[in-house]
Amino acid sequence: MIESGSLLQELEEAVSRGSAESRLRALWHATDLLIAGRYAEDEIWIFGEAIGRLADGIEVAARAQLSKQLVRTDNAPINIVQKLAFDDSIDVAGPMLQHSARLDAKTLVSNIRTKSQSHLLAISKRSSLPVVVTDELVTRGNREVVNSVATNDGARFSDFGFCI
């Protein structure tokens, strides 16, 4: 069991007093612990708070690496998954948008409505696309996105989406 008060207090000290290098080391350590363990949802939330604080302000390459690591686990903190999925950099957002099972249809639709065509293309490559997501992709996507959806065996189409 994780002691939330002590972990968050130690984290606060590391964030406020630590160097960028020590914060990055702490980020990778926390991420490795999360991936390696089995935790309850409240413990995953604590990891999310810790990883979120440590990840604030890191460079794009480090955020992209974090995204690639967290997408491999089914217990990635949802707040971090969403933060990474909405990153402006497709190198960061792409792995989450294409592979994370922690993103629901409502979140994907919100992403489609606010992010770039590269983000839409990543979503179009998911192994499963519900009707509401497919409709949004074919409505807002460019030709490359629409072609990707059309060739995706996991895409489910409404009558509306099929006619576009």
Side-chain angles (χ1 to χ4, degrees):
M1 179 83 160
I2 297 172
E3 297 272 340
S4 63
S6 64
L7 178 63
L8 292 177
Q9 185 177 6
E10 289 176 29
L11 168 67
E12 186 62 39
E13 289 176 23
V15 169
S16 63
R17 296 190 188 139
S19 66
E21 184 179 313
S22 68
R23 288 191 304 270
L24 202 52
R25 276 195 316 269
L27 171 65
W28 300 135
H29 180 68
T31 302
D32 290 344
L33 283 174
L34 174 68
I35 291 170
R38 290 180 170 239
Y39 302 101
E41 280 300 318
D42 60 330
E43 293 170 318
I44 293 170
W45 177 85
I46 293 168
F47 272 106
E49 290 298 305
I51 291 169
R53 290 291 311 255
L54 291 166
D56 282 345
I58 62 174
E59 62 188 43
V60 170
R63 290 194 318 274
Q65 183 180 347
L66 178 63
S67 183
K68 288 174 187 167
Q69 285 184 321
L70 287 179
V71 80
R72 298 186 337 229
T73 183
D74 293 333
N75 65 346
I78 192 67
N79 61 326
I80 303 303
V81 169
Q82 290 179 344
K83 186 175 189 174
L84 294 170
F86 280 85
D87 198 287
D88 288 338
S89 169
I90 193 59
D91 292 335
V92 176
M96 287 295 163
L97 293 173
Q98 188 170 345
H99 302 291
S100 179
R102 302 279 279 178
L103 294 172
D104 62 11
K106 181 179 177 183
T107 303
L108 292 171
V109 167
S110 178
N111 193 287
I112 292 166
R113 290 177 178 170
T114 60
K115 302 311 275 183
S116 73
Q117 291 294 312
S118 296
H119 289 71
L120 276 65
L121 185 61
I123 295 169
S124 75
K125 295 177 180 180
R126 291 177 68 86
S127 62
S128 175
L129 291 172
V131 169
V132 66
V133 173
T134 302
D135 282 353
E136 204 67 34
L137 285 169
V138 298
T139 300
R140 296 179 183 274
N142 62 18
R143 180 176 297 222
E144 185 179 15
V145 170
V146 173
N147 286 339
S148 178
V149 171
T151 59
N152 184 333
D153 291 335
R156 301 294 164 246
F157 291 90
S158 68
D159 290 340
F160 167 77
F162 193 72
C163 292
I164 290 183

